[in-house]
Amino acid sequence: MTATTTATATGEKRIGVCNLCEAICGLEITIEGREVVGVRGNPADPLSRGHVCPKGVAIGDVYADPDRLRRPVKRVGEGAGATWQEIGWDEAFDLVADRLAATINEHGDDALGVYLGNPNAHSLGAMTHGTAMFKSFRTRNRYSATSVDQLPHQLVAHLMFGHQLFLPVPDIDRTSWFLVIGANPMASNGSLMTVPDFPQRVRDLRSRGGRMVVLDPRRTETAKVADEHHFVRPGTDAWVLLALLQVLTTELADQLPPAPAYAEGLDTVVGLVADFTPERAEAMSGLPADVVRRLARELVAADGGVVYSRIGVSAGPWGTVCQWAVNCLNVLSGNLDRPGGAMFTSPAIDAVGTGLIGRGHFDAWRSRVRGLPETAGELPVSALREEIETPGEGQVRALLTVAGNPVLSTPDGARLDGALRDLDFMAAVDIYVNETTRHADVILPPTTALERDHYDLVFHLLAVRNTARFTPAVFEKEADQRHDWQIFREITLRTTARLDRKPPLKKQLVQRARLTASPTLLVTGLLRRGGSGVTMKKLRSRPAGLDLGPLRGGQLPDRLPSRGKRVDLAPAVVVADVGRLAAIDTPGEHELLLIGRRHQRDCNSWMHNSQRLTKGRPRHQLLMNPADLASRDLSDGSRVRVTSRIGSVEVEVAASEDLMPGVVSLPHGYGHAKDGVLMARSREVPGVSINDLTDPELLDVSGNAALNGVPVAVTPA
Ligand SMILES: Nc1nc2c(c(=O)[nH]1)N[C@H]1C(S)=C(S)[C@@H](COP(=O)(O)OP(=O)(O)OC[C@H]3O[C@@H](n4cnc5c(=O)[nH]c(N)nc54)[C@H](O)[C@@H]3O)O[C@H]1N2
Ligand SMILES: Nc1nc2c(c(=O)[nH]1)N[C@H]1C(S)=C(S)[C@@H](COP(=O)(O)OP(=O)(O)OC[C@H]3O[C@@H](n4cnc5c(=O)[nH]c(N)nc54)[C@H](O)[C@@H]3O)O[C@H]1N2
Ligand code: SF4
Ligand SMILES: [Mo]
């Protein structure tokens, strides 16, 4: 399996792919022996067109990092005194299988908890073999980063379109009017919108006369390149979105295109939003009513316009209602499934259409302690801690985490940190000892992005252009390393073999066959079955990627995954939640509301070992409007105490005019000092974790954590 190679004086050039965010940029990597000596964007890549960001340039740092685990390690001792002992793979697999099986045999399926972190979505092996492993565990205690992220999008897609991942993507390359709510793609490079080189695409949008409008409680990097930005009070977007719908369905009703024949429930929508006036939106959010009316008019008048909202909204108290309203706005304004609007991709491997990923479901069962509904087979991660701590049948006693760091990334992380100590057994598939995996008895480290083949099963599905690309490993793995899919295979087969209650033999054989085929072989088969004309052979001959053209409009209703090929504009779950929302008509009295933020050089809770990403000015501070500082007699740069219902942290404060008054912001993914040990060789300052303040009781109806808009007080430290 060799990558395309052109020898140059300075080294060999290989084509690689960045797995550090959803933009999936194609890279041109220069190597000398087993060393990365240069990384640049691949100009021949039909999707990323040469784009690369500072994180992509740092991808070699992960590969070279001396702190990265390459062989399994076993923990000896606890906390600050813990040491890690390298063990062989066989011993590690047997240890994990013994303990997982013993837990299940003794205490039942639900006694095993699993948590999947974000990088799973960026690994082919995790998509093909990790999912098979998780299916093989019959536990209801499945958790993932989804419920601190995009769960509302998935629930709404499931309810409205019939499949959790049938997600419309903004057609940024053709739109003339782009409303961005609670997203900062200038820093994040886009999410549920794979959009490499967002900065250039926005420049293009504006130079063809289009407009971008941003609603955000912080004047973000994206707001600064927009035509217009408005503050909204955290947690109140629902009133704004419902007011936009209200204006569309009243004042502008006669200007709307006829609703598509496949859409049902329009009358219910009209009734639901009737009382959500722009004036009410203004009272709740601070966004002036006349702006709401004007934005509604602009959307309806646009020749291809689209509303897009992301984590600032989906990880808020009304994420589901908001994502539903976004879809309704795009449908009613005639912008769903049309160029310039919200469109569906046509991927070479259609993980949705082929049923590779399930449609999803909701509330088929509930969590044991708090009775929270499952979504698509997962429980809200905000419930994980109590499921570990609360005794009784179904208590989580063993935990397996894969590519995740819930201690830093989920609400009340500090208390989860404590709960992990109480587990009978914990194993982690991860490349680092981090704030979470430090509690594992065993860590099994897979190969990293540059050492494995990649075809993206997830992000081609969400990209602003149809492309396909297969990237062979840049470096061959060392003999004593394992790919993640091999780790998943061994854990599954060895655990299954030790179970008292084994699946039927036939099922076991199917499982073994499926887990033994490599991800690349599976992709080859999926492409063949996909019938798009894209084959593995073609992809190998064009390693930069194949351009399959712009997103195609007019695909509905044929492509709709729902039974009967209908779009349900008024799903019962949403209707009920709008009812709950309707009962609120004054913003609560809070001193300050805490929101998150992302920086171009951060990558959730990891990558803080990379010198080139962490050098320079610190960026972990609490941002606060100067007026809010002054009214508390606080000075820029001083240390402050931030306190929520859940906990408190001490951190430096930085004055910023970019923050809406009454709002403070901390990035997530910091807080690397644990028991006096620095878990990431970051800058001198480990920062604090925002999730020591966020509240597991604050949830959207989907079960997604409301990480944004958390009431806090700020006092001198
Ligand atoms: N307050 C607040 N909290 C948030 C957010 C927020 O905006 N605000 N954002 C949320 C979001 S959107 C997300 S996605 C989550 C992320 O939360 P998590 O997914 O829990 O955490 P990550 O920081 O992504 O941790 C990734 C881990 O995977 C490991 N890793 C990296 N590459 C690989 C690999 O190839 N294989 C394996 N096995 N491991 C690997 C890294 O070492 C790291 O330990 O955080 C959430 N938390
Ligand atoms: N550099 C970098 N890129 C990343 C990541 C990273 O950690 N670093 N993480 C990746 C991941 S896992 C994800 S999910 C994506 C997320 O991608 P984005 O959704 O673009 O994430 P953020 O940059 O956190 O943008 C969220 C915005 O919402 C705003 N906001 C907060 N509360 C509210 C509110 O109540 N209402 C409104 N309207 N806005 C609000 C915040 O100020 C912020 O600007 O980014 C991905 N890309
Ligand atoms: S934008 Fe995302 S995918 Fe592209 S180089 Fe940066 S981190 Fe990697
Ligand atoms: Mo995420």
PDB file of all heavy atoms in Angstrom, residues 55 118 149 181-184 187-188 191 215-217 220 232 234-235 237 310-312 595 598-600 602-604 708, ligand 2:
ATOM      1  N   LYS A  55      -3.371  24.013  12.413  1.00  0.00           N
ATOM      2  CA  LYS A  55      -3.466  22.676  13.007  1.00  0.00           C
ATOM      3  C   LYS A  55      -3.016  21.613  12.013  1.00  0.00           C
ATOM      4  O   LYS A  55      -2.320  20.664  12.372  1.00  0.00           O
ATOM      5  CB  LYS A  55      -4.905  22.379  13.431  1.00  0.00           C
ATOM      6  CG  LYS A  55      -5.295  23.081  14.700  1.00  0.00           C
ATOM      7  CD  LYS A  55      -6.555  22.477  15.283  1.00  0.00           C
ATOM      8  CE  LYS A  55      -7.743  22.714  14.382  1.00  0.00           C
ATOM      9  NZ  LYS A  55      -8.958  22.058  14.893  1.00  0.00           N
ATOM     10  N   ASN A 118     -14.840  12.378  19.945  1.00  0.00           N
ATOM     11  CA  ASN A 118     -14.907  13.012  18.631  1.00  0.00           C
ATOM     12  C   ASN A 118     -14.017  12.385  17.545  1.00  0.00           C
ATOM     13  O   ASN A 118     -14.468  12.195  16.412  1.00  0.00           O
ATOM     14  CB  ASN A 118     -14.609  14.509  18.824  1.00  0.00           C
ATOM     15  CG  ASN A 118     -14.404  15.233  17.534  1.00  0.00           C
ATOM     16  OD1 ASN A 118     -13.307  15.240  16.979  1.00  0.00           O
ATOM     17  ND2 ASN A 118     -15.460  15.813  17.009  1.00  0.00           N
ATOM     18  N   ASP A 149     -22.882  18.025  21.646  1.00  0.00           N
ATOM     19  CA  ASP A 149     -22.552  18.590  20.345  1.00  0.00           C
ATOM     20  C   ASP A 149     -23.795  18.681  19.451  1.00  0.00           C
ATOM     21  O   ASP A 149     -24.611  19.575  19.614  1.00  0.00           O
ATOM     22  CB  ASP A 149     -21.436  17.713  19.734  1.00  0.00           C
ATOM     23  CG  ASP A 149     -20.824  18.290  18.477  1.00  0.00           C
ATOM     24  OD1 ASP A 149     -21.403  19.213  17.913  1.00  0.00           O
ATOM     25  OD2 ASP A 149     -19.766  17.807  18.044  1.00  0.00           O
ATOM     26  N   ILE A 181     -25.846  31.336  12.675  1.00  0.00           N
ATOM     27  CA  ILE A 181     -26.279  31.534  14.061  1.00  0.00           C
ATOM     28  C   ILE A 181     -25.526  30.567  14.973  1.00  0.00           C
ATOM     29  O   ILE A 181     -25.619  29.345  14.822  1.00  0.00           O
ATOM     30  CB  ILE A 181     -27.801  31.289  14.202  1.00  0.00           C
ATOM     31  CG1 ILE A 181     -28.566  32.075  13.130  1.00  0.00           C
ATOM     32  CG2 ILE A 181     -28.281  31.667  15.593  1.00  0.00           C
ATOM     33  CD1 ILE A 181     -30.057  31.829  13.139  1.00  0.00           C
ATOM     34  N   GLY A 182     -24.751  31.105  15.901  1.00  0.00           N
ATOM     35  CA  GLY A 182     -24.070  30.251  16.878  1.00  0.00           C
ATOM     36  C   GLY A 182     -23.041  29.341  16.262  1.00  0.00           C
ATOM     37  O   GLY A 182     -22.916  28.171  16.645  1.00  0.00           O
ATOM     38  N   ALA A 183     -22.300  29.848  15.308  1.00  0.00           N
ATOM     39  CA  ALA A 183     -21.196  29.088  14.702  1.00  0.00           C
ATOM     40  C   ALA A 183     -20.087  30.075  14.387  1.00  0.00           C
ATOM     41  O   ALA A 183     -20.361  31.238  14.095  1.00  0.00           O
ATOM     42  CB  ALA A 183     -21.642  28.393  13.424  1.00  0.00           C
ATOM     43  N   ASN A 184     -18.872  29.585  14.442  1.00  0.00           N
ATOM     44  CA  ASN A 184     -17.741  30.457  14.162  1.00  0.00           C
ATOM     45  C   ASN A 184     -16.772  29.768  13.202  1.00  0.00           C
ATOM     46  O   ASN A 184     -15.639  29.426  13.567  1.00  0.00           O
ATOM     47  CB  ASN A 184     -17.048  30.828  15.486  1.00  0.00           C
ATOM     48  CG  ASN A 184     -15.934  31.839  15.292  1.00  0.00           C
ATOM     49  OD1 ASN A 184     -15.810  32.463  14.226  1.00  0.00           O
ATOM     50  ND2 ASN A 184     -15.105  32.007  16.308  1.00  0.00           N
ATOM     51  N   ALA A 187     -12.974  30.139  12.904  1.00  0.00           N
ATOM     52  CA  ALA A 187     -12.098  29.431  13.847  1.00  0.00           C
ATOM     53  C   ALA A 187     -12.259  27.921  13.732  1.00  0.00           C
ATOM     54  O   ALA A 187     -11.289  27.180  13.775  1.00  0.00           O
ATOM     55  CB  ALA A 187     -12.391  29.875  15.274  1.00  0.00           C
ATOM     56  N   SER A 188     -13.497  27.470  13.547  1.00  0.00           N
ATOM     57  CA  SER A 188     -13.759  26.023  13.601  1.00  0.00           C
ATOM     58  C   SER A 188     -13.631  25.346  12.246  1.00  0.00           C
ATOM     59  O   SER A 188     -13.581  24.129  12.170  1.00  0.00           O
ATOM     60  CB  SER A 188     -15.171  25.771  14.135  1.00  0.00           C
ATOM     61  OG  SER A 188     -16.149  26.177  13.192  1.00  0.00           O
ATOM     62  N   SER A 191     -18.799  23.086  10.717  1.00  0.00           N
ATOM     63  CA  SER A 191     -19.238  21.869  11.380  1.00  0.00           C
ATOM     64  C   SER A 191     -20.623  21.506  10.872  1.00  0.00           C
ATOM     65  O   SER A 191     -21.486  22.374  10.732  1.00  0.00           O
ATOM     66  CB  SER A 191     -19.279  22.116  12.884  1.00  0.00           C
ATOM     67  OG  SER A 191     -19.600  20.925  13.549  1.00  0.00           O
ATOM     68  N   LEU A 215     -25.389  35.979  13.919  1.00  0.00           N
ATOM     69  CA  LEU A 215     -26.001  36.237  15.229  1.00  0.00           C
ATOM     70  C   LEU A 215     -25.205  35.475  16.274  1.00  0.00           C
ATOM     71  O   LEU A 215     -25.120  34.240  16.224  1.00  0.00           O
ATOM     72  CB  LEU A 215     -27.457  35.748  15.247  1.00  0.00           C
ATOM     73  CG  LEU A 215     -28.398  36.301  14.171  1.00  0.00           C
ATOM     74  CD1 LEU A 215     -29.813  35.748  14.394  1.00  0.00           C
ATOM     75  CD2 LEU A 215     -28.429  37.830  14.183  1.00  0.00           C
ATOM     76  N   ASP A 216     -24.613  36.187  17.212  1.00  0.00           N
ATOM     77  CA  ASP A 216     -23.696  35.554  18.165  1.00  0.00           C
ATOM     78  C   ASP A 216     -23.485  36.501  19.334  1.00  0.00           C
ATOM     79  O   ASP A 216     -23.296  37.697  19.134  1.00  0.00           O
ATOM     80  CB  ASP A 216     -22.354  35.265  17.458  1.00  0.00           C
ATOM     81  CG  ASP A 216     -21.501  34.243  18.195  1.00  0.00           C
ATOM     82  OD1 ASP A 216     -21.168  34.477  19.366  1.00  0.00           O
ATOM     83  OD2 ASP A 216     -21.151  33.215  17.571  1.00  0.00           O
ATOM     84  N   PRO A 217     -23.468  35.975  20.569  1.00  0.00           N
ATOM     85  CA  PRO A 217     -23.206  36.852  21.724  1.00  0.00           C
ATOM     86  C   PRO A 217     -21.760  37.357  21.777  1.00  0.00           C
ATOM     87  O   PRO A 217     -21.424  38.176  22.630  1.00  0.00           O
ATOM     88  CB  PRO A 217     -23.506  35.978  22.946  1.00  0.00           C
ATOM     89  CG  PRO A 217     -23.795  34.634  22.446  1.00  0.00           C
ATOM     90  CD  PRO A 217     -23.791  34.611  20.964  1.00  0.00           C
ATOM     91  N   THR A 220     -17.376  37.528  16.814  1.00  0.00           N
ATOM     92  CA  THR A 220     -16.359  36.510  16.540  1.00  0.00           C
ATOM     93  C   THR A 220     -15.558  36.862  15.294  1.00  0.00           C
ATOM     94  O   THR A 220     -15.867  37.822  14.581  1.00  0.00           O
ATOM     95  CB  THR A 220     -17.038  35.158  16.285  1.00  0.00           C
ATOM     96  OG1 THR A 220     -17.913  35.337  15.154  1.00  0.00           O
ATOM     97  CG2 THR A 220     -17.832  34.683  17.478  1.00  0.00           C
ATOM     98  N   VAL A 232     -26.917  38.278  20.323  1.00  0.00           N
ATOM     99  CA  VAL A 232     -28.143  37.704  20.905  1.00  0.00           C
ATOM    100  C   VAL A 232     -27.771  37.190  22.284  1.00  0.00           C
ATOM    101  O   VAL A 232     -26.680  36.648  22.478  1.00  0.00           O
ATOM    102  CB  VAL A 232     -28.736  36.514  20.122  1.00  0.00           C
ATOM    103  CG1 VAL A 232     -29.574  36.962  18.963  1.00  0.00           C
ATOM    104  CG2 VAL A 232     -27.662  35.533  19.706  1.00  0.00           C
ATOM    105  N   PRO A 234     -27.352  34.716  25.153  1.00  0.00           N
ATOM    106  CA  PRO A 234     -27.210  33.263  25.084  1.00  0.00           C
ATOM    107  C   PRO A 234     -28.502  32.542  25.478  1.00  0.00           C
ATOM    108  O   PRO A 234     -29.201  32.953  26.410  1.00  0.00           O
ATOM    109  CB  PRO A 234     -26.098  32.978  26.102  1.00  0.00           C
ATOM    110  CG  PRO A 234     -25.290  34.230  26.145  1.00  0.00           C
ATOM    111  CD  PRO A 234     -26.272  35.347  25.925  1.00  0.00           C
ATOM    112  N   GLY A 235     -28.807  31.508  24.741  1.00  0.00           N
ATOM    113  CA  GLY A 235     -29.960  30.672  25.079  1.00  0.00           C
ATOM    114  C   GLY A 235     -31.299  31.177  24.588  1.00  0.00           C
ATOM    115  O   GLY A 235     -32.329  30.562  24.868  1.00  0.00           O
ATOM    116  N   ASP A 237     -31.982  32.101  21.181  1.00  0.00           N
ATOM    117  CA  ASP A 237     -32.140  32.038  19.719  1.00  0.00           C
ATOM    118  C   ASP A 237     -33.494  31.483  19.305  1.00  0.00           C
ATOM    119  O   ASP A 237     -34.004  31.816  18.234  1.00  0.00           O
ATOM    120  CB  ASP A 237     -31.048  31.160  19.112  1.00  0.00           C
ATOM    121  CG  ASP A 237     -29.673  31.653  19.495  1.00  0.00           C
ATOM    122  OD1 ASP A 237     -29.173  31.268  20.574  1.00  0.00           O
ATOM    123  OD2 ASP A 237     -29.111  32.463  18.760  1.00  0.00           O
ATOM    124  N   ARG A 310     -25.280  26.295  14.470  1.00  0.00           N
ATOM    125  CA  ARG A 310     -24.419  25.220  14.957  1.00  0.00           C
ATOM    126  C   ARG A 310     -24.290  25.217  16.458  1.00  0.00           C
ATOM    127  O   ARG A 310     -25.220  25.567  17.141  1.00  0.00           O
ATOM    128  CB  ARG A 310     -23.079  25.337  14.207  1.00  0.00           C
ATOM    129  CG  ARG A 310     -22.391  24.093  13.770  1.00  0.00           C
ATOM    130  CD  ARG A 310     -23.193  22.815  13.773  1.00  0.00           C
ATOM    131  NE  ARG A 310     -22.350  21.735  14.187  1.00  0.00           N
ATOM    132  CZ  ARG A 310     -22.476  21.082  15.355  1.00  0.00           C
ATOM    133  NH1 ARG A 310     -23.393  21.401  16.212  1.00  0.00           N
ATOM    134  NH2 ARG A 310     -21.664  20.100  15.651  1.00  0.00           N
ATOM    135  N   ILE A 311     -23.098  24.957  16.983  1.00  0.00           N
ATOM    136  CA  ILE A 311     -23.031  24.483  18.366  1.00  0.00           C
ATOM    137  C   ILE A 311     -23.433  25.520  19.418  1.00  0.00           C
ATOM    138  O   ILE A 311     -23.913  25.168  20.486  1.00  0.00           O
ATOM    139  CB  ILE A 311     -21.659  23.855  18.682  1.00  0.00           C
ATOM    140  CG1 ILE A 311     -21.768  22.933  19.887  1.00  0.00           C
ATOM    141  CG2 ILE A 311     -20.581  24.896  18.883  1.00  0.00           C
ATOM    142  CD1 ILE A 311     -20.555  22.087  20.115  1.00  0.00           C
ATOM    143  N   GLY A 312     -23.270  26.797  19.084  1.00  0.00           N
ATOM    144  CA  GLY A 312     -23.730  27.822  20.023  1.00  0.00           C
ATOM    145  C   GLY A 312     -25.223  27.682  20.284  1.00  0.00           C
ATOM    146  O   GLY A 312     -25.750  28.112  21.311  1.00  0.00           O
ATOM    147  N   ILE A 595     -20.546  31.373  28.053  1.00  0.00           N
ATOM    148  CA  ILE A 595     -20.560  30.637  26.774  1.00  0.00           C
ATOM    149  C   ILE A 595     -19.158  30.115  26.466  1.00  0.00           C
ATOM    150  O   ILE A 595     -18.183  30.523  27.107  1.00  0.00           O
ATOM    151  CB  ILE A 595     -21.045  31.519  25.591  1.00  0.00           C
ATOM    152  CG1 ILE A 595     -20.101  32.715  25.379  1.00  0.00           C
ATOM    153  CG2 ILE A 595     -22.478  31.968  25.805  1.00  0.00           C
ATOM    154  CD1 ILE A 595     -20.342  33.490  24.089  1.00  0.00           C
ATOM    155  N   ARG A 598     -14.047  28.678  20.480  1.00  0.00           N
ATOM    156  CA  ARG A 598     -12.968  27.893  19.877  1.00  0.00           C
ATOM    157  C   ARG A 598     -11.931  28.821  19.294  1.00  0.00           C
ATOM    158  O   ARG A 598     -12.264  29.915  18.826  1.00  0.00           O
ATOM    159  CB  ARG A 598     -13.521  26.983  18.776  1.00  0.00           C
ATOM    160  CG  ARG A 598     -14.226  25.779  19.311  1.00  0.00           C
ATOM    161  CD  ARG A 598     -14.865  24.955  18.216  1.00  0.00           C
ATOM    162  NE  ARG A 598     -15.180  23.615  18.698  1.00  0.00           N
ATOM    163  CZ  ARG A 598     -16.168  23.329  19.534  1.00  0.00           C
ATOM    164  NH1 ARG A 598     -16.975  24.279  19.970  1.00  0.00           N
ATOM    165  NH2 ARG A 598     -16.373  22.077  19.927  1.00  0.00           N
ATOM    166  N   HIS A 599     -10.697  28.368  19.305  1.00  0.00           N
ATOM    167  CA  HIS A 599      -9.611  29.121  18.685  1.00  0.00           C
ATOM    168  C   HIS A 599      -9.044  28.272  17.553  1.00  0.00           C
ATOM    169  O   HIS A 599      -8.977  27.050  17.661  1.00  0.00           O
ATOM    170  CB  HIS A 599      -8.526  29.429  19.725  1.00  0.00           C
ATOM    171  CG  HIS A 599      -7.482  30.365  19.227  1.00  0.00           C
ATOM    172  ND1 HIS A 599      -6.435  29.945  18.424  1.00  0.00           N
ATOM    173  CD2 HIS A 599      -7.320  31.697  19.386  1.00  0.00           C
ATOM    174  CE1 HIS A 599      -5.682  30.995  18.120  1.00  0.00           C
ATOM    175  NE2 HIS A 599      -6.204  32.063  18.691  1.00  0.00           N
ATOM    176  N   GLN A 600      -8.642  28.957  16.497  1.00  0.00           N
ATOM    177  CA  GLN A 600      -8.125  28.270  15.321  1.00  0.00           C
ATOM    178  C   GLN A 600      -7.025  27.250  15.668  1.00  0.00           C
ATOM    179  O   GLN A 600      -6.872  26.239  14.999  1.00  0.00           O
ATOM    180  CB  GLN A 600      -7.577  29.316  14.355  1.00  0.00           C
ATOM    181  CG  GLN A 600      -7.491  28.819  12.936  1.00  0.00           C
ATOM    182  CD  GLN A 600      -6.575  29.673  12.084  1.00  0.00           C
ATOM    183  OE1 GLN A 600      -5.650  30.317  12.577  1.00  0.00           O
ATOM    184  NE2 GLN A 600      -6.834  29.686  10.786  1.00  0.00           N
ATOM    185  N   ASP A 602      -6.653  25.569  18.581  1.00  0.00           N
ATOM    186  CA  ASP A 602      -7.010  24.539  19.552  1.00  0.00           C
ATOM    187  C   ASP A 602      -7.775  23.423  18.860  1.00  0.00           C
ATOM    188  O   ASP A 602      -8.383  23.635  17.811  1.00  0.00           O
ATOM    189  CB  ASP A 602      -7.876  25.125  20.680  1.00  0.00           C
ATOM    190  CG  ASP A 602      -7.073  25.971  21.657  1.00  0.00           C
ATOM    191  OD1 ASP A 602      -5.913  25.601  21.931  1.00  0.00           O
ATOM    192  OD2 ASP A 602      -7.591  26.997  22.125  1.00  0.00           O
ATOM    193  N   CYS A 603      -7.751  22.253  19.470  1.00  0.00           N
ATOM    194  CA  CYS A 603      -8.452  21.104  18.908  1.00  0.00           C
ATOM    195  C   CYS A 603      -9.126  20.382  20.065  1.00  0.00           C
ATOM    196  O   CYS A 603      -8.536  19.473  20.660  1.00  0.00           O
ATOM    197  CB  CYS A 603      -7.452  20.200  18.196  1.00  0.00           C
ATOM    198  SG  CYS A 603      -8.218  18.877  17.264  1.00  0.00           S
ATOM    199  N   ASN A 604     -10.318  20.830  20.415  1.00  0.00           N
ATOM    200  CA  ASN A 604     -10.999  20.311  21.598  1.00  0.00           C
ATOM    201  C   ASN A 604      -9.991  20.202  22.746  1.00  0.00           C
ATOM    202  O   ASN A 604      -9.289  21.168  23.009  1.00  0.00           O
ATOM    203  CB  ASN A 604     -11.741  19.011  21.266  1.00  0.00           C
ATOM    204  CG  ASN A 604     -12.884  19.284  20.287  1.00  0.00           C
ATOM    205  OD1 ASN A 604     -13.528  20.322  20.362  1.00  0.00           O
ATOM    206  ND2 ASN A 604     -13.139  18.381  19.366  1.00  0.00           N
ATOM    207  N   ASN A 708     -23.882  26.185  26.669  1.00  0.00           N
ATOM    208  CA  ASN A 708     -23.833  27.633  26.484  1.00  0.00           C
ATOM    209  C   ASN A 708     -24.986  28.285  27.222  1.00  0.00           C
ATOM    210  O   ASN A 708     -26.096  27.762  27.242  1.00  0.00           O
ATOM    211  CB  ASN A 708     -23.911  27.964  24.990  1.00  0.00           C
ATOM    212  CG  ASN A 708     -22.688  27.465  24.244  1.00  0.00           C
ATOM    213  OD1 ASN A 708     -21.568  27.890  24.521  1.00  0.00           O
ATOM    214  ND2 ASN A 708     -22.889  26.535  23.320  1.00  0.00           N
TER     215      ASN A 708
HETATM  216  N1  LIG B   2      -9.932  25.276  15.763  1.00  0.00           N
HETATM  217  C1  LIG B   2     -10.860  24.395  16.135  1.00  0.00           C
HETATM  218  N2  LIG B   2     -11.735  23.956  15.230  1.00  0.00           N
HETATM  219  C2  LIG B   2     -12.678  23.059  15.586  1.00  0.00           C
HETATM  220  C3  LIG B   2     -12.735  22.519  16.894  1.00  0.00           C
HETATM  221  C4  LIG B   2     -11.800  23.005  17.835  1.00  0.00           C
HETATM  222  O1  LIG B   2     -11.791  22.611  19.008  1.00  0.00           O
HETATM  223  N3  LIG B   2     -10.898  23.941  17.428  1.00  0.00           N
HETATM  224  N4  LIG B   2     -13.701  21.609  17.226  1.00  0.00           N
HETATM  225  C5  LIG B   2     -14.434  20.964  16.154  1.00  0.00           C
HETATM  226  C6  LIG B   2     -15.710  20.475  16.642  1.00  0.00           C
HETATM  227  S1  LIG B   2     -15.671  19.034  17.532  1.00  0.00           S
HETATM  228  C7  LIG B   2     -16.891  21.097  16.387  1.00  0.00           C
HETATM  229  S2  LIG B   2     -18.339  20.394  16.918  1.00  0.00           S
HETATM  230  C8  LIG B   2     -16.965  22.309  15.608  1.00  0.00           C
HETATM  231  C9  LIG B   2     -17.919  23.374  16.145  1.00  0.00           C
HETATM  232  O2  LIG B   2     -17.961  24.423  15.244  1.00  0.00           O
HETATM  233  P1  LIG B   2     -18.750  25.771  15.584  1.00  0.00           P
HETATM  234  O3  LIG B   2     -20.168  25.457  15.816  1.00  0.00           O
HETATM  235  O4  LIG B   2     -18.434  26.763  14.542  1.00  0.00           O
HETATM  236  O5  LIG B   2     -18.114  26.107  17.000  1.00  0.00           O
HETATM  237  P2  LIG B   2     -17.678  27.394  17.804  1.00  0.00           P
HETATM  238  O6  LIG B   2     -16.482  28.001  17.223  1.00  0.00           O
HETATM  239  O7  LIG B   2     -17.615  26.957  19.226  1.00  0.00           O
HETATM  240  O8  LIG B   2     -18.859  28.406  17.574  1.00  0.00           O
HETATM  241  C10 LIG B   2     -19.981  28.490  18.375  1.00  0.00           C
HETATM  242  C11 LIG B   2     -20.385  29.931  18.433  1.00  0.00           C
HETATM  243  O9  LIG B   2     -21.595  30.027  19.126  1.00  0.00           O
HETATM  244  C12 LIG B   2     -21.577  31.192  19.894  1.00  0.00           C
HETATM  245  N5  LIG B   2     -22.615  31.062  20.921  1.00  0.00           N
HETATM  246  C13 LIG B   2     -22.516  30.609  22.184  1.00  0.00           C
HETATM  247  N6  LIG B   2     -23.726  30.619  22.780  1.00  0.00           N
HETATM  248  C14 LIG B   2     -24.601  31.089  21.865  1.00  0.00           C
HETATM  249  C15 LIG B   2     -26.006  31.329  21.875  1.00  0.00           C
HETATM  250  O10 LIG B   2     -26.711  31.093  22.848  1.00  0.00           O
HETATM  251  N7  LIG B   2     -26.552  31.814  20.727  1.00  0.00           N
HETATM  252  C16 LIG B   2     -25.809  32.079  19.614  1.00  0.00           C
HETATM  253  N8  LIG B   2     -26.432  32.552  18.541  1.00  0.00           N
HETATM  254  N9  LIG B   2     -24.496  31.878  19.596  1.00  0.00           N
HETATM  255  C17 LIG B   2     -23.909  31.369  20.689  1.00  0.00           C
HETATM  256  C18 LIG B   2     -20.176  31.302  20.400  1.00  0.00           C
HETATM  257  O11 LIG B   2     -19.871  32.633  20.751  1.00  0.00           O
HETATM  258  C19 LIG B   2     -19.387  30.803  19.188  1.00  0.00           C
HETATM  259  O12 LIG B   2     -18.974  31.854  18.383  1.00  0.00           O
HETATM  260  O13 LIG B   2     -15.671  22.878  15.498  1.00  0.00           O
HETATM  261  C20 LIG B   2     -14.721  21.935  15.025  1.00  0.00           C
HETATM  262  N10 LIG B   2     -13.562  22.670  14.647  1.00  0.00           N
END
